[in-house]
Amino acid sequence: HVHLDFQRPELESVLSLHDIKIGTDCLDIPLPRHDSEYPHKRPFLILSFDYDYAKRKFNLCDEDEVLSDDISRLSIIDKNRPTVASVLSRVTLIRSALELFGVGISIDTCATDVGMLWKGIAGKEILSRCMEETSSWSIQIHTLGTKYKREEQNEMRDRFAFLNFPGPVKIKDPTNEFLLIREVELDEKGTPLYPRYPTKDILNEENDSRPPLGVYFGRILGGIRDWRGNNRLERLSLKKRSYLGPTSMDAELSLIMTNLGKVQKNSFCFEPFVGTGSILLTCGLRGGYCCGADLDIRVLRGRNENENIISNFQQFNLVRPDLVRSDNSLYSRHYLTDKPMYDAIITDPPYGEYIGCIFKYSECIMSILCKTFIKYK
């Protein structure tokens, strides 16, 4: 429940790599109670695709799909009818996606919405596509940290008994896993503002009576409820790298930045203040060709042959980057061409005198951008 300000821009950037534009190719549906006085950003987005468009654009037969936990594989842009999950799983700030069957302001209204879909032609087509007689299934309950007893969760499941799926129930690794989400009010850290049990085993009736912000029911895509599981981000943790500095960029933010920069295979990526190369490494994980520059030759060389930028790239079996010692406040003297050079410039500007820089980095960055992109205008 962090960096939610970047969630929508990152999603739009990744969708654009697949030639999908929100508002043109799909609609952004308002969340339930979107006009409430709830002050914090909500972690859910609803996108609605025209069904005929979705069948042309995506491979909807994805019941056997299990997403890779390899960032490099997830970064591959496949425009030949990819699955929805393979497209969205590249978005760092999306943890999972549902093929949404129904939504409401309560469990009852959500169940009614699902029932209306299920009685129509679309519901029958969905059922024939993803549920065979031998397809196992389960319904999981997600209450965003709000405590519900097993009996209470079973009562929630019973509201959807009319679905009457043909296959057997299987809790672990079913063919299709369905998820019922009860969205509640959270603080900026993702903790319930009004917990049902503020103290152990003592129900707060006032908090319990508060209605949910929204209720959602659908089929989990990609075979995994949480795409960030299996230590996907932890494998990139700064703690596991051989070479670090005081301002090395967090792995999660680096992944977000490379998505905003639309880095993909063979993108020419430049990091003008490369430092220990944490951002440049993420560009490499996305498949980019990496070039970095820094004023401090000691940072570029590293501590020794086993602790430097190159050793970090080798740690992830990536092609070594090109590193240039240069003063980017004098960018136009070092790079004399006025032709476009880079597909993406991804950087975290230096912090003034904190790391010993005496030039104005904002002017430096503008010099690089103007020199690089002037021909595009």
Side-chain angles (χ1 to χ4, degrees):
H1 200 78
V2 294
H3 309 314
L4 287 182
D5 288 335
F6 298 125
Q7 186 187 57
R8 175 65 180 261
E10 188 190 16
L11 172 63
E12 291 179 343
S13 182
V14 170
L15 290 178
S16 70
L17 293 173
H18 295 269
D19 304 319
I20 300 172
K21 184 177 181 180
I22 297 177
T24 302
D25 302 306
C26 61
L27 299 178
D28 181 5
I29 306 299
L31 297 174
R33 303 188 194 276
H34 64 277
D35 54 353
S36 70
E37 297 181 358
Y38 176 62
H40 303 294
K41 281 188 172 293
R42 297 167 66 177
F44 298 101
L45 295 169
I46 301 178
L47 297 183
S48 177
F49 290 87
D50 176 79
Y51 193 52
D52 289 333
Y53 172 85
K55 288 193 292 185
R56 294 194 306 271
K57 188 73 176 180
F58 304 109
N59 176 12
L60 300 181
C61 298
D62 61 351
E63 61 272 13
D64 295 327
E65 180 182 33
V66 177
L67 292 174
S68 169
D69 54 10
D70 186 335
I71 294 293
S72 298
R73 291 187 179 182
L74 292 176
S75 300
I76 296 174
I77 305 301
D78 178 11
K79 295 187 178 182
N80 184 24
R81 296 188 72 236
T83 63
V84 175
S86 67
V87 173
L88 296 180
S89 61
R90 172 169 167 149
V91 184
T92 313
L93 295 176
I94 290 182
R95 301 187 67 164
S96 63
L98 300 181
E99 183 178 24
L100 193 63
F101 294 166
V103 60
I105 59 174
S106 67
I107 292 180
D108 287 334
T109 57
C110 179
T112 299
D113 200 33
V114 174
M116 292 177 61
L117 170 72
W118 220 245
K119 293 176 182 178
I121 297 176
K124 294 178 181 178
E125 186 167 342
I126 291 173
L127 182 63
S128 65
R129 170 166 50 80
C130 69
M131 291 297 293
E132 300 177 355
E133 291 186 3
T134 57
S135 298
S136 59
W137 60 276
S138 70
I139 297 178
Q140 301 296 331
I141 310 295
H142 186 28
T143 57
L144 277 68
T146 305
K147 183 179 178 181
Y148 282 88
K149 297 178 181 179
R150 180 175 298 180
E151 295 77 11
E152 294 172 314
Q153 294 187 24
N154 286 335
E155 289 178 4
M156 297 180 191
R157 293 185 177 93
D158 289 342
R159 308 289 179 87
F160 300 88
F162 61 86
L163 293 172
N164 195 25
F165 295 129
V169 175
K170 186 180 180 183
I171 302 301
K172 186 177 180 180
D173 297 327
T175 306
N176 288 292
E177 186 173 5
F178 299 89
L179 187 62
L180 173 64
I181 301 174
R182 188 181 186 277
E183 183 189 7
V184 297
E185 297 158 294
L186 306 174
D187 63 19
E188 65 277 2
K189 296 182 179 180
T191 303
L193 285 171
Y194 307 99
R196 298 181 75 219
Y197 293 90
T199 57
K200 187 176 181 181
D201 297 328
I202 300 178
L203 177 66
N204 185 306
E205 294 184 359
E206 182 180 355
N207 290 354
D208 184 46
S209 65
R210 295 184 68 87
L213 286 175
V215 180
Y216 315 89
F217 183 86
R219 182 173 67 93
I220 293 175
L221 301 179
I224 305 174
R225 194 190 316 172
D226 185 355
W227 294 342
R228 297 172 60 161
N230 297 326
N231 298 318
R232 184 167 125 182
L233 285 181
E234 285 71 12
R235 295 178 184 181
L236 306 179
S237 172
L238 296 180
K239 298 178 181 178
K240 298 183 178 181
R241 299 185 192 177
S242 61
Y243 184 47
L244 290 176
T247 59
S248 294
M249 176 61 71
D250 172 75
E252 184 175 34
L253 283 173
S254 296
L255 290 168
I256 295 169
M257 292 169 70
T258 52
N259 273 338
L260 293 174
K262 301 181 182 180
V263 176
Q264 54 186 306
K265 186 176 181 180
N266 296 327
S267 292
F268 187 13
C269 307
F270 181 53
E271 222 290 36
F273 310 104
V274 68
T276 57
S278 55
I279 295 176
L280 203 63
L281 176 69
T282 311
C283 292
L285 289 168
R286 297 287 191 202
Y289 173 75
C290 299
C291 178
D294 204 282
L295 177 61
D296 192 341
I297 189 64
R298 297 169 299 175
V299 175
L300 294 179
R301 287 175 174 171
R303 298 186 183 92
N304 53 59
E305 61 180 11
N306 296 318
E307 296 182 33
N308 52 59
I309 298 175
I310 305 301
S311 67
N312 279 352
F313 273 70
Q314 292 173 341
Q315 183 179 345
F316 294 93
N317 297 316
L318 298 175
V319 177
R320 60 179 293 163
D322 286 331
L323 302 175
V324 181
R325 192 269 183 183
S326 69
D327 182 352
N328 280 311
S329 65
L330 305 174
Y331 180 85
S332 59
R333 297 186 186 180
H334 297 306
Y335 305 92
L336 301 180
T337 180
D338 60 356
K339 296 181 180 180
M341 292 177 61
Y342 314 114
D343 296 303
I345 299 175
I346 314 289
T347 190
D348 181 28
Y351 304 101
E353 295 182 354
Y354 175 67
I355 57 171
C357 297
I358 60 174
F359 56 85
K360 295 181 179 180
Y361 64 79
S362 59
E363 295 178 3
C364 172
I365 293 174
M366 288 306 299
S367 172
I368 297 173
L369 292 176
C370 291
K371 196 73 175 178
T372 304
F373 295 114
I374 190 170
K375 290 296 183 179
Y376 281 131
K377 297 182 179 180

